[in-house]
Amino acid sequence: MKVLITGCNGQVGHCLVQQLSGKAQVLALDVSGLDITDKDQVMTKVVEFEPDFIINAAAHTAVDKAESEEALSNAINCDGPRYLAEAAHSVGAVILHISTDYVFEGNKKGQYNEDDVTNPQGVYGATKLSGELAVAQACARHIIIRTAWVFGEHGNNFVKTMLRLGKDRDELSIVSDQFGGPTFAGDIAAALIVIAKEIQAGNEEWGVYHFSGAPHVSWFEFSEVIFAQAYNQGVIDHKLKLNAISTEQYPTAAKRPENSKLDCRKIKDTFGIEPSNWQLAIKRIKEYQ
């Protein structure tokens, strides 16, 4: 298996490189090795390497900055994926592309499935949705994975932010009215590899799939688990007082979905992939420092 990975220094990209080491011929590229917003550069690199799979883990994920960096966000989240998909199509490769819960408005009661109407509320979500559509249009052999609340040992994420703040403070206020499924980056990488192997075996069910963690919780509930593990394992030497606050009490430049709960039954039924076990991943809290 020949795999080209973009965004190799991001949360998921880093895990992909680790998990595929010694198991596939991998070309792992960050922005210095491949600017996905450069159409000619993308085509040249893909034609030279001739991958079986392109896994696009590159994205402009600064949700609040995206509100004032729309052109940059669109270039990375829409144009780049389109160029990668066009290149994949030209060499007969499959493209696996990572998307987000932000493509939804976030006001549904219950879990979002793949066929629910999209209605992004900010630049980040809008550009990611445009990227989905561009990938699907440019390459029939595509899998799009929507995920949410990604965390891991590598890169920036909520868990690492909480640990950093928790070491210096006795009290924190956490939003309690936004709900979703925390998703371990290593599990996303593992899911993508399973899908690639399934496709190689002839299971070519192209389209959009949801993959995130279970059980669903609020950010406040997630932080409770993080700090309990951190204290129990000596990562933080004191117990924090956590205050539950509303979204209105924590204003941000970009609107966050109130409901980021993704229905992951389709990916389980098609590829046998279970939701991310974030509670198990959090037990390795010492690795997130």
Side-chain angles (χ1 to χ4, degrees):
M1 187 191 301
K2 294 179 69 175
V3 184
L4 188 154
I5 300 169
T6 63
C8 69
N9 288 328
Q11 292 194 83
V12 177
H14 180 80
C15 294
L16 280 165
V17 173
Q18 285 185 322
Q19 293 181 28
L20 284 171
S21 178
K23 299 176 182 176
Q25 186 178 343
V26 175
L27 178 59
L29 301 167
D30 62 8
V31 66
S32 65
L34 177 61
D35 177 2
I36 66 169
T37 68
D38 185 325
K39 183 176 182 177
D40 293 336
Q41 192 180 137
V42 168
M43 186 63 74
T44 298
K45 191 72 72 172
V46 171
V47 169
E48 285 177 355
F49 184 61
E50 291 188 330
D52 301 306
F53 295 91
I54 296 174
I55 305 181
N56 181 35
H60 185 258
T61 57
V63 175
D64 290 320
K65 281 188 177 181
E67 293 299 309
S68 58
E69 297 177 346
E70 186 169 358
L72 177 63
S73 187
N74 192 69
I76 298 172
N77 292 340
C78 179
D79 294 342
R82 177 189 294 111
Y83 301 151
L84 288 165
E86 288 172 348
H89 176 71
S90 74
V91 298
V94 173
I95 183 164
L96 308 180
H97 174 67
I98 302 170
S99 192
T100 175
D101 58 296
Y102 276 71
V103 300
F104 296 114
E105 185 171 350
N107 61 352
K108 180 182 178 178
K109 303 300 180 184
Q111 301 177 39
Y112 278 98
N113 62 50
E114 290 82 355
D115 296 323
D116 279 325
V117 174
T118 53
N119 186 22
Q121 298 295 293
V123 170
Y124 170 67
T127 58
K128 289 296 288 183
L129 179 59
S130 295
E132 287 187 12
L133 299 173
V135 166
Q137 185 176 31
C139 184
R141 291 164 58 82
H142 68 270
I143 298 287
I144 295 166
I145 299 292
R146 291 180 184 145
T147 190
W149 295 24
V150 182
F151 71 94
E153 306 95 333
H154 186 80
N156 299 316
N157 54 68
F158 182 79
V159 175
K160 296 179 83 168
T161 298
M162 289 298 100
L163 293 178
R164 185 179 71 251
L165 294 174
K167 289 179 179 180
D168 300 325
R169 302 188 189 181
D170 297 318
E171 187 173 348
L172 285 173
S173 296
I174 312 293
V175 171
S176 63
D177 58 358
Q178 295 172 21
F179 297 87
T183 314
F184 178 52
D187 290 339
I188 300 173
L192 289 164
I193 293 169
V194 167
I195 291 170
K197 290 179 178 177
E198 283 280 309
I199 291 169
Q200 278 196 316
N203 187 1
E204 298 184 343
E205 295 292 332
W206 313 117
V208 178
Y209 292 85
H210 289 174
F211 177 76
S212 63
H216 294 126
V217 288
S218 68
W219 287 114
F220 178 81
E221 291 166 332
F222 188 29
S223 67
E224 286 185 310
V225 177
I226 293 167
F227 286 119
Q229 286 290 343
Y231 179 74
N232 290 339
Q233 296 186 36
V235 175
I236 293 177
D237 62 7
H238 60 284
K239 291 186 176 182
L240 279 83
K241 180 184 179 185
L242 300 179
N243 303 308
I245 61 171
S246 67
T247 298
E248 289 183 351
Q249 292 173 284
Y250 189 76
T252 55
K255 183 180 178 182
R256 266 65 174 170
E258 178 183 334
N259 176 14
S260 290
K261 299 175 184 177
L262 300 179
D263 185 334
C264 299
R265 286 178 292 183
K266 181 182 175 184
I267 199 169
K268 180 180 178 181
D269 292 344
T270 307
F271 298 113
I273 296 171
E274 298 283 351
S276 174
N277 187 339
W278 64 264
Q279 290 174 313
L280 181 63
I282 285 294
K283 289 182 179 178
R284 303 199 300 273
I285 198 81
K286 290 182 179 180
E287 299 175 17
Y288 300 85
Q289 300 181 75

Coordinates of all heavy atoms in Angstrom, one line a residue, residues 111-167:
Q111 N -28.9 12.8 17.6 CA -27.7 12.7 16.9 C -27.8 13.0 15.4 O -28.8 12.7 14.8 CB -27.1 11.3 17.0 CG -26.9 10.9 18.5 CD -26.4 9.5 18.6 OE1 -25.5 9.0 17.8 NE2 -26.8 8.7 19.6
Y112 N -26.7 13.6 14.8 CA -26.7 13.9 13.4 C -26.2 12.7 12.6 O -25.2 12.1 12.9 CB -25.7 15.1 13.2 CG -26.3 16.5 13.4 CD1 -26.1 17.1 14.6 CD2 -27.1 17.1 12.4 CE1 -26.6 18.4 14.8 CE2 -27.7 18.4 12.7 CZ -27.4 19.0 13.9 OH -27.9 20.2 14.1
N113 N -27.0 12.4 11.6 CA -26.5 11.3 10.7 C -26.0 11.9 9.4 O -26.1 13.1 9.2 CB -27.6 10.3 10.4 CG -28.9 10.8 9.8 OD1 -28.7 11.5 8.8 ND2 -30.0 10.6 10.3
E114 N -25.5 11.1 8.5 CA -24.8 11.6 7.3 C -25.7 12.3 6.4 O -25.3 13.1 5.5 CB -24.1 10.4 6.6 CG -22.9 9.9 7.4 CD -23.2 8.9 8.5 OE1 -24.4 8.7 8.8 OE2 -22.2 8.4 9.1
D115 N -27.0 12.0 6.4 CA -28.0 12.6 5.5 C -28.7 13.8 6.0 O -29.5 14.4 5.3 CB -29.0 11.5 5.1 CG -28.4 10.3 4.4 OD1 -27.5 10.5 3.6 OD2 -28.9 9.2 4.6
D116 N -28.4 14.2 7.2 CA -29.0 15.4 7.7 C -28.6 16.7 7.0 O -27.4 16.7 6.4 CB -28.7 15.6 9.2 CG -29.5 14.7 10.1 OD1 -30.7 14.5 9.8 OD2 -29.1 14.2 11.2
V117 N -29.5 17.6 6.9 CA -29.2 18.9 6.2 C -28.0 19.6 6.9 O -28.0 19.8 8.1 CB -30.4 19.8 6.2 CG1 -30.1 21.1 5.5 CG2 -31.6 19.1 5.4
T118 N -27.1 20.1 6.1 CA -25.9 20.8 6.6 C -26.3 22.3 6.6 O -27.1 22.8 5.7 CB -24.7 20.6 5.7 OG1 -25.0 20.9 4.3 CG2 -24.2 19.2 5.8
N119 N -25.8 23.0 7.6 CA -26.0 24.5 7.7 C -25.0 25.1 8.6 O -25.2 25.5 9.7 CB -27.4 24.8 8.2 CG -27.7 26.2 8.2 OD1 -27.2 27.0 7.4 ND2 -28.7 26.7 9.0
P120 N -23.7 25.2 8.1 CA -22.6 25.7 8.9 C -22.9 27.2 9.3 O -23.5 28.0 8.6 CB -21.4 25.6 8.0 CG -21.9 25.5 6.6 CD -23.2 24.8 6.7
Q121 N -22.5 27.5 10.6 CA -22.8 28.8 11.2 C -21.6 29.7 11.2 O -21.7 30.9 11.7 CB -23.3 28.6 12.6 CG -24.6 27.8 12.7 CD -25.7 28.6 12.0 OE1 -26.1 29.6 12.5 NE2 -26.2 28.0 10.9
G122 N -20.4 29.3 10.6 CA -19.3 30.1 10.6 C -18.4 29.8 9.4 O -18.7 28.9 8.6
V123 N -17.3 30.6 9.3 CA -16.4 30.4 8.1 C -15.7 29.0 8.1 O -15.7 28.4 7.1 CB -15.3 31.5 8.1 CG1 -14.2 31.2 7.1 CG2 -15.9 32.9 7.9
Y124 N -15.3 28.6 9.3 CA -14.6 27.3 9.3 C -15.6 26.2 8.8 O -15.2 25.4 7.9 CB -14.2 27.0 10.8 CG -13.7 25.5 11.0 CD1 -12.6 25.1 10.4 CD2 -14.5 24.6 11.8 CE1 -12.1 23.8 10.6 CE2 -14.1 23.3 12.0 CZ -12.9 22.9 11.4 OH -12.5 21.6 11.5
G125 N -16.8 26.1 9.4 CA -17.7 25.1 8.9 C -18.1 25.2 7.5 O -18.2 24.2 6.7
A126 N -18.2 26.4 7.0 CA -18.6 26.7 5.6 C -17.5 26.2 4.6 O -17.8 25.6 3.6 CB -18.9 28.1 5.4
T127 N -16.3 26.5 5.0 CA -15.1 26.1 4.1 C -14.9 24.6 4.2 O -14.6 24.0 3.2 CB -13.9 26.9 4.5 OG1 -13.5 26.6 5.9 CG2 -14.0 28.3 4.3
K128 N -15.2 24.0 5.3 CA -15.0 22.5 5.4 C -16.1 21.8 4.6 O -15.9 20.8 3.9 CB -15.1 22.1 6.9 CG -13.8 22.4 7.7 CD -12.6 21.8 7.2 CE -12.5 20.3 7.5 NZ -11.3 19.7 7.0
L129 N -17.3 22.4 4.6 CA -18.4 21.8 3.8 C -18.1 22.0 2.3 O -18.3 21.0 1.5 CB -19.7 22.5 4.1 CG -20.9 22.0 3.3 CD1 -21.2 20.5 3.5 CD2 -22.2 22.8 3.7
S130 N -17.6 23.1 1.9 CA -17.2 23.3 0.5 C -16.1 22.3 0.1 O -16.1 21.8 -1.0 CB -16.7 24.8 0.3 OG -17.7 25.7 0.6
G131 N -15.2 22.0 1.1 CA -14.2 21.0 0.8 C -14.8 19.6 0.6 O -14.3 18.9 -0.3
E132 N -15.8 19.3 1.4 CA -16.4 18.0 1.2 C -17.0 17.9 -0.2 O -16.8 16.9 -0.9 CB -17.6 17.8 2.2 CG -17.2 17.6 3.6 CD -18.4 17.3 4.5 OE1 -19.5 17.0 3.9 OE2 -18.3 17.3 5.7
L133 N -17.7 18.9 -0.6 CA -18.4 18.9 -1.9 C -17.4 18.9 -3.0 O -17.6 18.2 -4.0 CB -19.3 20.2 -2.0 CG -20.4 20.2 -1.0 CD1 -21.1 21.6 -1.1 CD2 -21.4 19.1 -1.2
A134 N -16.3 19.6 -2.8 CA -15.2 19.6 -3.9 C -14.6 18.3 -4.0 O -14.3 17.8 -5.2 CB -14.2 20.7 -3.5
V135 N -14.3 17.6 -2.9 CA -13.7 16.3 -3.0 C -14.6 15.3 -3.7 O -14.2 14.5 -4.6 CB -13.4 15.8 -1.6 CG1 -13.1 14.3 -1.5 CG2 -12.2 16.6 -1.0
A136 N -15.9 15.3 -3.3 CA -16.9 14.4 -3.9 C -17.0 14.6 -5.4 O -17.2 13.6 -6.1 CB -18.2 14.5 -3.2
Q137 N -17.0 15.9 -5.8 CA -17.2 16.2 -7.2 C -15.9 15.8 -8.0 O -16.1 15.4 -9.2 CB -17.4 17.7 -7.4 CG -17.8 18.1 -8.8 CD -18.1 19.6 -8.9 OE1 -17.6 20.4 -8.1 NE2 -19.0 19.9 -9.8
A138 N -14.8 15.9 -7.4 CA -13.5 15.8 -8.2 C -13.1 14.3 -8.3 O -12.4 13.9 -9.2 CB -12.4 16.6 -7.6
C139 N -13.5 13.5 -7.3 CA -13.0 12.1 -7.3 C -14.1 11.2 -6.8 O -14.5 11.2 -5.6 CB -11.7 12.0 -6.4 SG -11.0 10.3 -6.4
A140 N -14.6 10.3 -7.7 CA -15.6 9.4 -7.3 C -15.2 8.4 -6.2 O -16.0 8.0 -5.3 CB -16.1 8.6 -8.5
R141 N -13.9 8.1 -6.2 CA -13.3 7.1 -5.2 C -12.9 7.9 -3.9 O -11.7 8.2 -3.7 CB -12.2 6.4 -5.8 CG -12.6 5.4 -6.9 CD -11.4 5.0 -7.7 NE -10.4 4.3 -7.0 CZ -10.4 3.0 -6.6 NH1 -11.4 2.3 -6.9 NH2 -9.3 2.5 -5.9
H142 N -13.9 8.3 -3.1 CA -13.6 9.1 -2.0 C -14.4 8.6 -0.7 O -15.4 8.1 -0.8 CB -14.1 10.6 -2.2 CG -15.6 10.8 -2.3 ND1 -16.2 10.7 -3.5 CD2 -16.5 11.0 -1.4 CE1 -17.5 10.9 -3.3 NE2 -17.7 11.1 -2.0
I143 N -13.7 8.9 0.4 CA -14.3 8.7 1.7 C -14.1 10.0 2.5 O -13.0 10.4 2.6 CB -13.7 7.5 2.5 CG1 -13.9 6.2 1.8 CG2 -14.3 7.4 3.9 CD1 -15.3 5.6 1.8
I144 N -15.2 10.5 3.0 CA -15.1 11.7 3.8 C -15.6 11.4 5.3 O -16.6 10.8 5.5 CB -16.1 12.8 3.3 CG1 -15.6 13.3 1.9 CG2 -16.2 14.0 4.3 CD1 -16.6 14.1 1.1
I145 N -14.7 11.6 6.2 CA -14.9 11.3 7.6 C -15.2 12.6 8.4 O -14.3 13.5 8.5 CB -13.7 10.6 8.2 CG1 -13.4 9.3 7.5 CG2 -14.0 10.4 9.7 CD1 -14.5 8.2 7.7
R146 N -16.4 12.7 8.9 CA -16.7 13.9 9.8 C -16.5 13.4 11.2 O -16.9 12.4 11.6 CB -18.2 14.3 9.6 CG -18.5 14.9 8.3 CD -20.0 15.3 8.3 NE -20.4 15.8 7.0 CZ -21.6 15.6 6.4 NH1 -22.5 14.9 7.1 NH2 -21.9 16.2 5.3
T147 N -15.7 14.3 11.9 CA -15.4 13.9 13.3 C -15.6 15.2 14.2 O -16.0 16.2 13.7 CB -14.0 13.4 13.4 OG1 -13.8 12.8 14.7 CG2 -12.9 14.4 13.1
A148 N -15.3 15.1 15.5 CA -15.6 16.2 16.4 C -14.7 16.1 17.6 O -14.2 15.0 18.0 CB -17.0 16.1 16.8
W149 N -14.4 17.2 18.2 CA -13.7 17.3 19.5 C -12.4 16.5 19.6 O -12.2 15.7 20.5 CB -14.7 16.9 20.6 CG -15.9 17.8 20.8 CD1 -16.4 18.6 19.9 CD2 -16.7 17.9 22.0 NE1 -17.5 19.2 20.5 CE2 -17.7 18.8 21.7 CE3 -16.6 17.3 23.3 CZ2 -18.7 19.2 22.7 CZ3 -17.6 17.6 24.2 CH2 -18.6 18.6 23.9
V150 N -11.6 16.7 18.6 CA -10.4 15.8 18.5 C -9.3 16.2 19.5 O -9.1 17.4 19.8 CB -9.8 16.0 17.1 CG1 -8.5 15.1 16.9 CG2 -10.8 15.6 16.0
F151 N -8.7 15.2 20.1 CA -7.7 15.4 21.1 C -6.6 14.3 20.9 O -6.9 13.2 20.4 CB -8.2 15.4 22.5 CG -8.7 14.1 23.0 CD1 -7.8 13.3 23.8 CD2 -10.0 13.6 22.8 CE1 -8.2 12.0 24.3 CE2 -10.4 12.4 23.3 CZ -9.5 11.6 24.0
G152 N -5.4 14.5 21.4 CA -4.4 13.5 21.4 C -3.1 14.1 22.0 O -3.1 15.2 22.5
E153 N -2.1 13.2 22.0 CA -0.8 13.6 22.6 C -0.1 14.7 21.9 O 0.7 15.5 22.4 CB 0.1 12.4 22.7 CG -0.5 11.2 23.4 CD -1.1 10.2 22.4 OE1 -1.5 10.6 21.3 OE2 -1.2 9.0 22.7
H154 N -0.4 14.8 20.6 CA 0.4 15.7 19.7 C -0.5 16.9 19.3 O -1.7 16.7 19.0 CB 0.9 14.9 18.5 CG 1.8 15.7 17.6 ND1 3.1 15.9 17.8 CD2 1.5 16.3 16.4 CE1 3.7 16.6 16.9 NE2 2.7 16.8 16.0
G155 N 0.1 18.1 19.2 CA -0.7 19.2 18.7 C -1.5 19.9 19.8 O -1.4 19.6 21.0
N156 N -2.3 20.8 19.4 CA -3.1 21.6 20.4 C -4.5 21.1 20.4 O -5.1 20.8 19.4 CB -3.2 23.1 19.9 CG -1.8 23.7 19.9 OD1 -1.0 23.5 20.8 ND2 -1.5 24.5 18.9
N157 N -5.1 21.0 21.6 CA -6.4 20.5 21.8 C -6.9 20.8 23.2 O -6.2 21.3 24.0 CB -6.5 19.0 21.5 CG -5.5 18.2 22.4 OD1 -5.7 18.1 23.6 ND2 -4.5 17.6 21.7
F158 N -8.2 20.5 23.4 CA -8.9 20.8 24.7 C -8.2 20.2 25.9 O -8.0 20.8 26.9 CB -10.4 20.4 24.6 CG -11.2 20.8 25.8 CD1 -11.6 22.0 26.0 CD2 -11.5 19.8 26.7 CE1 -12.4 22.4 27.1 CE2 -12.3 20.1 27.9 CZ -12.7 21.4 28.1
V159 N -7.9 18.9 25.8 CA -7.3 18.2 26.9 C -6.0 18.9 27.3 O -5.7 19.1 28.5 CB -7.0 16.7 26.5 CG1 -6.3 16.0 27.7 CG2 -8.3 16.0 26.3
K160 N -5.1 19.2 26.4 CA -3.8 19.8 26.7 C -4.0 21.2 27.3 O -3.3 21.6 28.2 CB -2.9 19.8 25.5 CG -2.6 18.4 25.0 CD -1.7 18.4 23.8 CE -0.3 18.6 24.1 NZ 0.6 18.3 22.9
T161 N -5.0 21.9 26.8 CA -5.3 23.2 27.3 C -5.8 23.2 28.7 O -5.3 23.9 29.6 CB -6.4 24.0 26.5 OG1 -5.9 24.1 25.1 CG2 -6.7 25.3 27.0
M162 N -6.6 22.2 29.0 CA -7.1 22.0 30.4 C -6.0 21.7 31.3 O -5.9 22.2 32.5 CB -8.2 20.9 30.4 CG -9.5 21.3 29.8 SD -10.4 22.7 30.6 CE -9.9 24.0 29.5
L163 N -5.1 20.8 30.9 CA -4.0 20.4 31.8 C -3.0 21.6 32.0 O -2.6 21.8 33.2 CB -3.2 19.3 31.2 CG -3.9 17.9 31.1 CD1 -3.0 16.9 30.4 CD2 -4.3 17.4 32.4
R164 N -2.8 22.4 31.0 CA -1.9 23.6 31.2 C -2.6 24.6 32.2 O -1.9 25.1 33.1 CB -1.7 24.2 29.8 CG -0.7 25.4 29.9 CD -0.5 26.0 28.5 NE -1.6 26.8 28.1 CZ -2.4 26.4 27.1 NH1 -2.2 25.3 26.4 NH2 -3.5 27.2 26.7
L165 N -3.8 24.8 32.0 CA -4.5 25.8 32.9 C -4.6 25.3 34.3 O -4.5 26.0 35.3 CB -5.9 26.2 32.3 CG -5.9 26.9 31.0 CD1 -7.4 27.0 30.5 CD2 -5.3 28.3 31.1
G166 N -4.9 24.0 34.4 CA -5.2 23.3 35.7 C -4.0 23.3 36.6 O -4.1 23.3 37.8
K167 N -2.8 23.4 36.0 CA -1.6 23.3 36.9 C -1.4 24.7 37.6 O -0.7 24.7 38.6 CB -0.4 23.0 36.0 CG -0.3 21.5 35.5 CD 0.9 21.2 34.7 CE 0.9 19.8 34.3 NZ 2.0 19.4 33.4

